[in-house]
Amino acid sequence: METFSEVLRANALIVAFTVVGLTVYLSYMISKRLTYGRIHGSAIAILLGLVAAYFAGLETEGQRGVADIGVLAGVGIMGGGMMRDFGIVATAFGVQFSELSKSGLAGIVSIFSGVLASFLVGAIVAVSFGYTDPESITTIGAGAVTYIVGPVTGTAIGASSDVIALSVAAGVVKSILVMIGTPMVASKIGLNNPHSAMVFGGLMGTTSGVAGGLAATDPRLVPYGALTATFYTGVGCLLGPSILYFSVRAFA
Amino acid sequence: MVIYGVALLAACLVVGLYVGELLGQLLGVQANVGGVGIAMLLLVLIAGSQRSRALVTGHSGEGIKFWSAMYIPIVVAMAASQNVVAAVDGGMLALIVGVLAVLVSFLLVPLISRIGGAGAPLPPLEDSLQPVKERGRNGNL
């Protein structure tokens, strides 16, 4: 048994391929046999992943889900930023450039309105919870943008560490909700073509959320949503500690 | 050769991320500005040009298609390595902020999609040429 666990630890990424493969297989079986194909297999697989990450987090008290369990460390490599970005770029293969330029304007508008809308929501909720200092309000608003914009903004303007932690939590909630919620609302918000997928990516912005949500809805939409989403965090980090912070200070 | 496609893909990502970092520094932002998006644009442009046909067809193309098909398993692994406990433990404030931000953003999708005219829906999934197609063999997705 000890030897087996040693082999697993020494070949982390390979173990991850096996485990994720089994998870995907199981999910497609569940999709077919229990939901008769109504819930997409990849949506179930993503949900299983999140549930596993929750219990792993309770068990290990770590921050990286199942990747904190020694023998499953490879899942963290496979699902880390490097492989995620590599996979996302690969999905752009087969995309027509004309399709992208046609939606360019809507895409750009969506990025800025997405950052603004999420920030406003976060700032309003922060105020209604009794926060009055512009630093905390801005940081929580920035957390609603993404869990990267929150701490970047908070650190830049000198917010307290518990507010920064809150902003990260808000961003993670958003990201996970987008993963789970997108397939459920896709048909209601017209998310069935490259054009609306680009708008969707720009509005949501959380790369992980958009990546997971679109993959579970229709994998062909992934490249369009991911393209705009990858600009969102940068725009958020640009506006958060500057224009947005100054505007909050003018009001508070 | 399969590696040519993989190398092209990798080179696009490296160049994109580098440009994204530079953009971030230029704007004075502690983040990569659109690096992955720039990489995607590069790949789309290179794949569409006549001169680089050899890099994106045949076996070389298989190298890119493989990673495109690995995308969903990668996303599953990504989901499994999220800090879900922090999201659940963040308390009411974090939960309300997250839920409302997502709801408002969802509602804006149909509004902003009107800019530049609505797109035509994609054909049903079973007509797709994506390698993931064979997974959805139960048709009624």
Side-chain angles (χ1 to χ4, degrees), chain A:
Chain A
M1 200 59 211
E2 211 166 283
T3 319
F4 185 56
S5 144
E6 250 169 58
V7 171
L8 295 186
R9 280 164 200 270
N11 298 281
L13 184 58
I14 309 302
V15 174
F17 288 151
T18 319
V19 173
V20 173
L22 286 172
T23 310
V24 171
Y25 176 74
L26 184 73
S27 307
Y28 277 90
M29 288 308 275
I30 294 175
S31 161
K32 198 174 160 188
R33 305 231 184 272
L34 295 183
T35 76
Y36 299 99
R38 266 190 289 274
I39 301 177
H40 200 296
S42 39
I44 295 173
I46 289 165
L47 198 62
L48 280 182
L50 290 171
V51 170
Y54 176 70
F55 286 108
L58 285 185
E59 190 63 32
T60 63
E61 293 178 9
Q63 301 182 345
R64 302 185 308 134
V66 301
D68 285 321
I69 301 173
V71 293
L72 291 177
V75 175
I77 306 174
M78 184 177 170
M82 182 169 74
M83 297 295 273
R84 185 197 64 193
D85 292 349
F86 197 55
I88 289 180
V89 176
T91 63
F93 188 56
V95 163
Q96 295 298 317
F97 188 74
S98 55
E99 201 72 69
L100 298 180
S101 52
K102 213 164 56 189
S103 307
L105 177 66
I108 293 168
V109 172
S110 71
I111 295 169
F112 284 92
S113 11
V115 170
L116 271 180
S118 289
F119 180 85
L120 264 179
V121 167
I124 290 170
V125 175
V127 170
S128 66
F129 266 72
Y131 286 93
T132 48
D133 59 304
E135 287 74 26
S136 299
I137 297 170
T138 308
T139 305
I140 293 170
V145 178
T146 69
Y147 58 80
I148 297 171
V149 180
V152 165
T153 304
T155 313
I157 63 179
S160 67
S161 69
D162 56 314
V163 167
I164 293 181
L166 256 182
S167 79
V168 174
V172 175
V173 169
K174 179 180 178 187
S175 161
I176 291 171
L177 275 179
V178 174
M179 280 186 219
I180 303 174
T182 304
M184 300 179 194
V185 300
S187 61
K188 293 186 189 73
I189 59 176
L191 191 55
N192 58 8
N193 61 76
H195 181 76
S196 59
M198 276 182 79
V199 169
F200 172 80
L203 279 169
M204 299 297 152
T206 146
T207 314
S208 323
V210 169
L214 287 181
T217 305
D218 182 343
R220 291 169 300 170
L221 299 175
V222 167
Y224 301 99
L227 184 76
T228 41
T230 61
F231 284 93
Y232 181 96
T233 289
V235 170
C237 291
L238 182 65
L239 301 182
S242 57
I243 302 173
L244 294 176
Y245 175 51
F246 299 139
S247 320
V248 170
R249 233 178 22 184
F251 278 105

